[in-house]
Amino acid sequence: MDMNDILADIREANLNYLLLAQQLIRADRATAIFRLGISAELADLVDKLSTTHMLKLAASNLLLMRLRLDDPALLRTLISCAHERSLMQAHAVILMAKKGIQEIV
């Protein structure tokens, strides 16, 4: 895979992320804010993005989204219960909610 392919994949991921984020925000704003890990102000901005703005943002060679599992201990914890899908999902929600509260305080 060459650099042009990687950049094209990044642009596609960016556009898919923006479209999904906007769809989530419009369907259930509070849940979207939690799932996306964004502020209410950012949710408002994403909700109001035009198609033109989304295409321009997506064209960046940088990923617009970030991996929320930025703590190695958190990732190890989730991996350790990966064989139990429902347990892993519940654990992830609890850990992410706790992390979100810590960032607010």
Side-chain angles (χ1 to χ4, degrees):
M1 181 176 261
D2 69 0
M3 190 54 70
N4 288 332
D5 291 336
I6 291 171
L7 293 175
D9 287 346
I10 289 172
R11 288 190 291 273
E12 183 178 348
N14 284 340
L15 183 58
N16 286 331
Y17 177 75
L18 289 169
L19 291 168
L20 177 61
Q22 195 174 64
Q23 181 182 353
L24 288 170
I25 292 165
R26 290 178 177 172
D28 185 344
R29 188 174 183 277
T31 301
I33 288 171
F34 173 74
R35 286 187 174 162
L36 296 168
I38 60 174
S39 68
E41 181 180 5
L42 188 54
D44 289 340
L45 290 170
V46 171
D47 182 33
K48 294 174 184 167
L49 286 175
S50 68
T51 303
T52 302
H53 287 130
M54 280 199 273
L55 289 170
K56 285 180 181 178
L57 286 170
S60 170
N61 62 355
L62 300 173
L63 281 170
L64 298 177
M65 61 199 159
R66 69 178 178 94
L67 187 60
R68 289 183 65 194
L69 297 173
D70 55 357
D71 179 358
L74 175 62
L75 185 55
R76 277 190 215 94
T77 301
L78 293 175
I79 291 170
S80 70
C81 63
H83 62 283
E84 291 282 339
R85 185 179 172 104
S86 61
L87 178 62
M88 183 182 79
Q89 289 175 342
H91 203 165
V93 168
I94 292 166
L95 292 171
M96 290 300 188
K98 180 181 175 190
K99 183 173 182 173
I101 291 169
Q102 289 170 344
E103 289 174 356
I104 292 170
V105 175

